Amino acid sequence: MSIPIGKDQFMLMPSVEAKILQSLNIHKHEDILVVGSGTGYLSSCLSLLANKVHSIEIDEELVERSKVNIKQECIKNNLIIEKKYNFILFNFKFF
């Protein structure tokens, strides 16, 4: 089940996001990029575990909601960017 956040977009249930966070085994020295930050909930949780979190969101209203949520939680290492890209290329290897 997912939670509607507006404009036909949804976020995962917090219990599912918690399982994702646990499975990632994030360390404090790591930097993270989140594509599709939604309300900022997951990126805020990530910022408690990681060094830095940068989040990209294409919806201006969700960017503003994310920024408000992050500010309310006094999170300093999370940057939300509103940006629309034509392509996103992932070029990496798994370790």
Side-chain angles (χ1 to χ4, degrees):
M1 177 175 220
S2 53
I3 301 168
I5 58 174
K7 294 189 178 180
D8 294 325
Q9 294 191 42
F10 297 85
M11 67 176 274
L12 298 171
M13 290 178 44
S15 59
V16 174
E17 292 193 350
K19 288 179 183 179
I20 291 169
L21 290 169
Q22 289 175 335
S23 69
L24 291 174
N25 193 27
I26 296 165
H27 297 93
K28 198 63 180 167
H29 68 276
E30 295 175 311
D31 296 340
I32 298 173
L33 172 64
V34 176
V35 178
S37 62
T39 62
Y41 179 80
L42 182 60
S43 62
S44 293
C45 293
L46 288 165
S47 69
L48 298 173
L49 302 170
N51 179 46
K52 277 189 279 191
V53 178
H54 289 180
S55 302
I56 300 171
E57 174 58 56
I58 63 171
D59 185 275
E60 184 179 350
E61 290 177 30
L62 289 175
V63 169
E64 292 309 313
R65 281 176 63 188
S66 293
K67 288 180 178 179
V68 167
N69 292 339
I70 289 167
K71 186 176 182 178
Q72 285 177 344
E73 296 301 319
C74 300
I75 296 171
K76 304 289 185 202
N77 64 336
N78 193 340
L79 174 65
I80 305 289
I81 302 167
E82 179 194 356
K83 182 71 177 161
K84 295 181 182 179
Y85 293 92
N86 296 98
F87 298 95
I88 298 175
L89 173 66
F90 297 94
N91 186 12
F92 58 90
K93 69 176 186 175
F94 290 100
F95 295 95

